[in-house]
């Protein structure tokens, strides 16, 4: 069982991590990443959609950063719009909680690559690099090689990664409409009192009508009494058959915690009716 000192230390860490992304460690000058095997990226029906390329970096290129070797589909963004980018595919080992994203600015041909990884203390960090395509992407035009200049600072993402117990789902099934079309996901979800930190226990019924907006988290219905200030909400993906759950509660000192967990893919719902979720991201709100 976690004690009050541990809770206090987590609260302090989470309070730092969930503030607005802050500049991190400033390093020595960093060698640029070199993008290779660059070509135009086409979407459905042969529509020109950006650029694609391979890029890699050695471990320690900036403090705490692991190595990566990826293939990136850098889709266009328009009018200078901010973007998180599209996830790149790892060509070599992918460390836990490590990911690379990329996008291309349609007007300037600037390419941005972002590397996210898990740093010491469970804090997620992001570094970024920017370069310019050597030519306008087009059929049979080679975009190879071009440098990506790496920023000397990192940012910290909200939340503290850790092991925060287990949530158990039962009676899981897909929801379909009268025509048999997949409409959503439903299940009962529970956790014992004190499963993590001083979290209250819960038993809820969760229903999700699929929505492409991943910011929409309907609240699950309590099946019994639930602690004041506590609620459980969920999102689900019809494409990958996963579900993401938030458990929010108010600690005795007034701190509002939120734990986030995502299931493994669940392609056999209806046959496999039980699964577990291991929440691994702690936020304070």
């Amino acid at each position: 069982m976690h004690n009050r000192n541990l809770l206090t230390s987590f609260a302090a860490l989470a309070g730092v991590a969930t503030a607005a992304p802050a500049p991190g460690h400033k390093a020595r000058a960093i060698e640029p990443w070199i993008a290779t095997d660059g070509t135009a990226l086409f979407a459905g029906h042969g529509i020109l959609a950006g650029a694609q390329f391979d890029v890699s970096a050695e471990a320690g290129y900036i403090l705490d950063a692991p190595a990566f070797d990826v293939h990136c589909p850098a889709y266009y963004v328009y009018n200078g719009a901010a973007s998180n980018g599209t996830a790149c595919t790892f060509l070599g080992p992918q460390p836990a909680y490590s990911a690379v994203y990329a996008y291309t600015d349609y007007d300037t041909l600037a390419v941005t690559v972002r590397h996210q990884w898990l740093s010491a203390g469970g804090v997620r960090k992001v570094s970024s690099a920017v370069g310019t395509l050597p030519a306008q992407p087009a059929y049979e035009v080679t975009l190879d090689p071009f440098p990506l200049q790496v920023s000397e600072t990192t940012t910290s993402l909200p939340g503290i990664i850790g092991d925060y117990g287990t949530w158990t789902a039962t009676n899981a099934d897909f929801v379909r409409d009268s025509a048999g079309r997949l409409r959503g996901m439903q299940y009962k979800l529970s956790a014992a009192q004190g499963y993590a930190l001083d979290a209250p226990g819960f038993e809820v019924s969760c229903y999700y009508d699929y929505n492409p907006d991943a910011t929409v988290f309907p609240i699950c219905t309590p099946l019994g009494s639930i602690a004041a200030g506590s609620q459980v909400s969920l999102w689900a993906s019809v494409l990958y058959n996963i579900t993401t759950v938030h458990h929010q509660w108010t600690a005795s000192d007034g701190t509002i915690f939120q734990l986030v967990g995502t299931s493994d893919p669940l392609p056999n719902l209806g046959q496999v009716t039980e699964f577990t979720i291991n929440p691994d991201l702690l936020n304070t709100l």
Side-chain angles (χ1 to χ4, degrees):
M1 184 67 65
H2 299 270
N3 59 29
R4 172 57 58 182
N5 290 335
L6 180 59
L7 175 58
T8 302
S9 65
F10 269 113
L13 283 170
V16 171
T18 55
H25 175 79
K26 186 170 183 177
R28 55 179 171 72
I30 304 169
E31 292 294 321
W33 301 336
I34 304 299
T36 60
D37 295 327
T39 62
L41 176 66
F42 293 92
H45 305 290
I47 298 171
L48 185 62
Q52 58 183 331
F53 50 84
D54 296 341
V55 65
S56 62
E58 295 182 351
Y61 71 84
I62 201 168
L63 184 67
D64 289 339
F68 66 83
D69 181 14
V70 294
H71 175 77
C72 292
Y75 285 90
Y76 281 140
V77 296
Y78 298 90
N79 301 318
S83 174
N84 291 327
T86 300
C88 303
T89 302
F90 275 74
L91 303 175
Q94 180 176 4
Y97 305 106
S98 183
V100 181
Y101 304 88
Y103 64 90
T104 302
D105 187 288
Y106 177 80
D107 297 310
T108 66
L109 300 185
V111 173
T112 300
V113 177
R114 300 168 62 248
H115 178 208
Q116 174 184 315
W117 74 93
L118 184 62
S119 184
V123 177
R124 296 177 299 160
K125 289 189 175 180
V126 177
S127 61
S128 61
V130 179
T132 302
L133 294 176
Q136 184 80 37
Y139 180 65
E140 292 188 341
V141 171
T142 300
L143 308 169
D144 178 35
F146 61 93
L148 296 157
Q149 187 57 55
V150 184
S151 172
E152 295 184 1
T153 59
T154 61
T155 56
S156 297
L157 294 177
I160 302 294
I161 297 290
D163 179 3
Y164 301 107
T166 300
W167 299 329
T168 301
T170 60
N171 300 94
D173 200 359
F174 290 128
V175 176
R176 300 181 185 274
D177 62 17
S178 58
R181 292 171 296 202
L182 192 60
R183 292 297 304 159
M185 183 184 292
Q186 61 185 358
Y187 50 85
K188 293 181 180 179
L189 193 68
S190 62
Q193 170 79 23
Y195 71 87
L197 309 181
D198 66 349
F202 63 83
E203 184 178 14
V204 294
S205 176
C206 297
Y207 171 82
Y208 190 81
D209 190 0
Y210 287 123
N211 188 322
D213 184 351
T215 65
V216 175
F217 275 74
I219 296 173
C220 301
T221 303
L223 296 177
S225 61
I226 191 165
S230 178
Q231 68 178 37
V232 179
S233 55
L234 78 150
W235 177 84
S237 166
V238 68
L239 180 59
Y240 299 109
N241 295 332
I242 61 174
T243 180
T244 297
V245 175
H246 292 167
H247 179 206
Q248 176 180 319
W249 74 94
T250 302
S252 55
D253 64 358
T255 301
I256 300 175
F257 286 104
Q258 180 194 73
L259 272 175
V260 183
T262 299
S263 71
D264 291 331
L266 304 166
N268 297 317
L269 286 185
Q271 302 175 38
V272 177
T273 60
E274 298 185 4
F275 61 92
T276 59
I277 298 175
N278 298 112
D280 60 2
L281 178 62
L282 175 68
N283 295 313
T284 54
L285 304 180

